[in-house]
Amino acid sequence: MIAVLTSGVALGVHTPGLLLADRLRDRGVCAETLVLERLLPPERLRGIERSRGHFHRDIRFARAGQRIAADPTTAIPDEAAEELGRRWRRTGVETLVVFSGFWLPVLERALGTRADRPRVVICHVDSAVSPSFRRADLAAGGATQVWLASAEHGTVPWTIPVGGPPVPWTERPRRLLVHGGGWGMGTYRERAQELLEHGHAVDLVVHEPHDVAPQQRSGVRYFAMDPDWHPWHDDGYPPLAQVPAGWSGREPVRYTRGAGRHPSFDLAARAEAIVSKPGGGTLLDSLWSATPLVLLEPVGDHEARNAELWCALGHGITYEAWRATGFDRETLARLHRNLLRAVDGPRDLAAHLAGAGTGVPAGGRSGPC
């Protein structure tokens, strides 16, 4: 049994955790996911939900929030952490895969002085230490660290498979996917407007009804995540729907979950570029869809390192640099070819954990969940 520990405050952390759990199950390994915020009291969750709205409306709040981020685990009662440890022991959890540094102090409370402590694997989605890990003792308890991207070494050492073979370049419609990460942060809406003015077709992910134009514009399709959904509600992928121009947020739309992967990946897989801030989850989408990143302003030092790495590897280009080419399509095609050559390089984390991490061979069964 493997427990995958994520956090809902960043979908770029939570979604890779869901993907890892799915890829483990594909290999016959019993895996569960647990979102840190499920252990928090309701008033703390309401505060997180309010923060999301502030961060979406003004990126300065997000940057400030990262600098002064408080440890949410101080609000988790000791009895909740201890009960979690007892449950892991009853269900035979052998490995804990940690996607957020805020989980590490919870593990110390949950596991106590157990001699048979599960193995802890820290999975860094970003290429440099992200805010939740900055105050953590990463070597505590003999934890193993893996990196899905490494700014220090200029490499992509590990990965989590997302989808099947990339869509051939010649079969992709001439569209761009534009988004601001899971919480819709940054200048992506302004960049979408500029790209439309230059004749590009755009798939734009919005987070509030007022982000949708009142009249239908040629070349733009709007997609929205369900505003009533939060990662601590369930273990599904973020629900996504295409919405019409003039959408007020009250009209019913059909949200879909995606099977085995988040539905926005299917948009990325058919796009000529993803125009977004450089979050770690977006790097993963770029790699597995072989879709270049056109990089917008980062939120935090770790995202700045992500952008530098993706540009150095020939997988992405800054928005300003692409604009200087006249938004040249062949530039994107060259980056796409680089990504096609790169996807087979990293080690598959799910395959490693299924083989070495559970005591069963890759593809074998680990027993019923």
Side-chain angles (χ1 to χ4, degrees):
M1 173 68 132
I2 295 178
V4 179
L5 310 181
T6 76
S7 170
V9 299
L11 289 186
V13 168
H14 179 58
T15 301
L18 296 177
L19 289 167
L20 177 62
D22 271 342
R23 297 299 83 80
L24 288 167
R25 296 184 194 110
D26 291 345
R27 292 177 172 272
V29 175
C30 189
E32 67 170 7
T33 57
L34 182 60
V35 182
L36 178 72
E37 287 73 22
R38 289 180 191 163
L39 303 176
L40 294 176
E43 62 272 15
R44 193 63 179 263
L45 288 178
R46 287 192 289 270
I48 294 172
E49 292 168 9
R50 287 192 298 270
S51 296
R52 181 167 74 169
H54 292 314
F55 292 176
H56 169 67
R57 296 182 190 99
D58 193 332
I59 195 172
R60 292 174 296 180
F61 282 105
R63 289 173 174 149
Q66 285 190 353
R67 291 194 296 270
I68 62 175
D71 182 354
T73 62
T74 57
I76 296 174
D78 285 341
E79 54 269 27
E82 291 163 3
E83 173 54 31
L84 187 60
R86 288 191 290 269
R87 183 167 71 82
W88 285 338
R89 191 165 194 168
R90 288 195 306 270
T91 56
V93 170
E94 300 170 337
T95 301
L96 300 165
V97 185
V98 178
F99 279 82
S100 168
F102 291 133
W103 267 107
L104 295 177
V106 179
L107 297 189
E108 290 307 305
R109 294 156 65 190
L111 301 178
T113 58
R114 278 179 56 178
D116 59 341
R117 291 165 65 100
R119 183 173 66 140
V120 176
V121 177
I122 294 171
C123 182
H124 296 277
V125 177
D126 292 287
S127 66
V129 176
S130 58
S132 73
F133 285 108
R134 283 190 189 135
R135 299 187 187 98
D137 181 359
L138 299 180
T144 300
Q145 296 186 66
V146 297
W147 296 80
L148 302 189
S150 172
E152 180 181 1
H153 297 104
T155 59
V156 180
W158 292 87
T159 195
I160 301 168
V162 183
V167 176
W169 187 255
T170 55
E171 296 179 15
R172 299 186 184 210
R174 299 184 68 167
R175 305 191 68 86
L176 305 171
L177 173 61
V178 183
H179 67 73
W183 282 21
M185 294 187 290
T187 58
Y188 67 101
R189 286 163 291 177
E190 294 87 344
R191 298 298 175 251
Q193 175 71 26
E194 181 179 6
L195 291 166
L196 285 166
E197 291 170 355
H198 282 80
H200 291 276
V202 167
D203 288 341
L204 178 61
V205 179
V206 298
H207 292 259
E208 295 183 352
H210 65 72
D211 293 332
V212 179
Q215 302 295 327
Q216 183 67 46
R217 290 197 56 179
S218 176
V220 64
R221 300 190 302 182
Y222 295 101
F223 295 84
M225 288 194 296
D226 184 348
D228 295 325
W229 177 85
H230 298 287
W232 43 89
H233 287 173
D234 56 57
D235 290 333
Y237 291 99
L240 191 73
Q242 185 172 351
V243 299
W247 180 60
S248 70
R250 294 185 297 272
E251 301 92 338
V253 294
R254 183 174 177 270
Y255 292 102
T256 58
R257 290 282 196 164
R261 60 178 181 259
H262 44 298
S264 61
F265 180 79
D266 295 324
L267 298 177
R270 297 189 62 79
E272 290 190 326
I274 304 168
V275 183
S276 173
K277 69 184 188 65
T282 303
L283 302 190
L284 194 63
D285 285 351
S286 171
L287 178 68
W288 280 92
S289 63
T291 302
L293 285 187
V294 175
L295 298 154
L296 304 180
E297 294 86 343
V299 179
D301 294 340
H302 61 296
E303 288 196 356
R305 301 295 299 279
N306 290 347
E308 293 167 1
L309 174 66
W310 229 237
C311 289
L313 292 173
H315 300 165
I317 186 171
T318 66
Y319 186 87
E320 293 74 16
W322 190 44
R323 180 201 279 146
T325 70
F327 299 112
D328 175 51
R329 186 169 181 257
E330 180 51 37
T331 297
L332 301 181
R334 173 175 52 81
L335 300 176
H336 163 74
R337 292 191 292 270
N338 293 343
L339 283 159
L340 286 176
R341 291 189 290 269
V343 73
D344 292 330
R347 297 181 65 187
D348 182 338
L349 180 59
H352 171 74
L353 292 173
T358 66
V360 299
R365 305 292 306 179
S366 65
C369 292

